[in-house]
């Protein structure tokens, strides 16, 4: 059985430290000027590494951006899961998840905009440190698991395509509310001001009720 030598362990540790330092630079650049400010050459210069070092850790800009998102995706999954786990009934778990999602976006505007509101190059799923499809890490997979729980009660369709449709339509609704608030802000007078808490609750009920009706189990 092969073992890792002390020298190899040190190299791996140093590589991980470099990776984290580079990711930190990327996240700062994105917060300051968006994805347009990010290039491997610029990141290397600011991090104090050669471009060769950066390329040895990240194949391209898409992989760099993908891994820079990991921290935010993991945190979002964590808060969604924690909120859902305060409830027992599947529908209430979905409601809890939705409230947590919206609250995360409202209280982490830079992070939310980075992940969900900027066009970006896409890397293969395996390039991410977040395990795609793992409900403990992937926010979409977690959200889908809640709709699957609801489907297993016999209330809505259990067809895979329907579960994905319900997950995505519900997500698109709560994302739209979150994004509108972040883009327009409380001082924008284009929309009349309405009670924020009620707005969130009504949105969730309209989405949930509509999906329950549209995908009612036959």
């Amino acid at each position: 059985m092969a073992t890792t030598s002390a020298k190899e362990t040190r190299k791996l540790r140093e590589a991980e430290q470099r990776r984290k330092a580079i990711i930190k630079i990327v996240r700062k650049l994105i917060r300051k000027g968006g994805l347009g400010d990010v290039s491997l050459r610029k990141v290397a210069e600011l991090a104090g590494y050669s471009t060769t070092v950066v390329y040895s850790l990240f194949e391209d800009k898409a992989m760099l951006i993908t891994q820079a998102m990991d921290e935010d995706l993991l945190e979002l999954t964590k808060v969604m899961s924690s909120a859902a786990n305060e409830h027992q009934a599947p529908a209430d778990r979905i409601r809890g998840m939705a409230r947590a999602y919206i609250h995360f976006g409202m209280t982490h505007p830079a992070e939310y905009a980075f992940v969900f509101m900027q066009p970006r190059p896409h890397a293969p799923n395996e390039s991410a440190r977040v395990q795609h499809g793992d409900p403990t890490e992937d926010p979409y997979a977690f959200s889908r698991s809640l709709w699957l729980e609801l489907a297993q009660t016999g209330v809505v369709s259990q067809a895979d395509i329907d579960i994905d449709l319900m997950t995505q339509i519900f997500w698109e609704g709560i994302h739209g509310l979150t994004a509108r608030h972040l883009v327009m802000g409380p001082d924008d007078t284009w929309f009349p001001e309405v009670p924020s808490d009620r707005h969130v609750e009504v949105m969730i009920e309209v989405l949930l009720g509509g999906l329950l009706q549209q995908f009612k189990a036959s």
Side-chain angles (χ1 to χ4, degrees):
M1 182 176 177
T3 57
T4 304
S5 68
K7 184 177 181 180
E8 290 171 330
T9 300
R10 185 174 65 254
K11 285 184 176 180
L12 290 171
R13 185 168 60 247
E14 289 172 352
E16 180 61 14
Q17 289 171 345
R18 288 172 180 165
R19 191 191 74 81
K20 288 180 178 179
I22 290 167
I23 290 296
K24 188 174 181 180
I25 293 292
V26 172
R27 291 171 64 83
K28 284 183 177 179
L29 285 173
I30 291 169
R31 287 195 183 98
K32 184 178 179 181
L35 292 178
D37 260 7
V38 178
S39 70
L40 268 67
R41 184 177 298 278
K42 185 171 185 177
V43 168
E45 180 183 338
L46 291 174
Y49 299 126
S50 68
T51 53
T52 302
V53 168
V54 177
Y55 275 109
S56 72
L57 296 169
F58 306 95
E59 294 178 5
D60 52 26
K61 181 176 175 177
M63 184 176 179
L64 189 63
I65 298 300
T66 295
Q67 292 197 16
M69 290 168 46
D70 284 349
E71 180 180 328
D72 300 316
L73 291 174
L74 289 169
E75 181 61 22
L76 176 57
T77 307
K78 179 181 175 181
V79 300
M80 289 164 63
S81 176
S82 177
N85 289 339
E86 293 178 3
H87 306 278
Q88 295 294 323
D92 288 339
R93 286 168 57 75
I94 291 171
R95 291 182 177 98
M97 172 272 291
R99 294 184 193 108
Y101 177 100
I102 295 167
H103 183 262
F104 178 88
M106 300 287 197
T107 55
H108 299 81
E111 292 83 354
Y112 187 87
F114 167 36
V115 176
F116 295 118
M117 296 173 64
Q118 294 194 59
R120 61 179 182 274
H122 294 282
N125 290 330
E126 56 269 20
S127 298
R129 292 294 181 96
V130 170
Q131 292 299 307
H132 180 254
D134 182 346
T136 66
E137 298 188 0
D138 176 346
Y140 178 81
F142 176 72
S143 182
R144 188 184 191 281
S145 74
L146 297 185
W147 285 97
L148 178 59
E149 286 178 11
L150 183 64
Q152 289 171 341
T153 67
V155 174
V156 291
S157 168
Q158 295 189 43
D160 284 342
I161 185 64
D162 288 343
I163 292 169
D164 278 311
L165 273 169
M166 288 185 285
T167 303
Q168 291 176 29
I169 291 168
F170 190 79
W171 188 307
E172 287 156 2
I174 59 177
H175 163 71
L177 184 151
T178 306
R180 199 271 290 177
H181 275 270
L182 294 186
V183 170
M184 299 184 76
D187 58 341
D188 194 314
T189 58
W190 184 263
F191 276 23
E193 186 177 354
V194 296
S196 179
D197 289 345
R198 185 183 178 205
H199 193 169
V200 169
E201 292 303 316
V202 172
M203 166 71 86
I204 291 171
E205 293 307 316
V206 168
L207 290 169
L208 185 58
L211 290 169
L212 288 172
Q213 181 62 36
Q214 183 67 36
F215 293 91
K216 186 185 298 183
S218 54

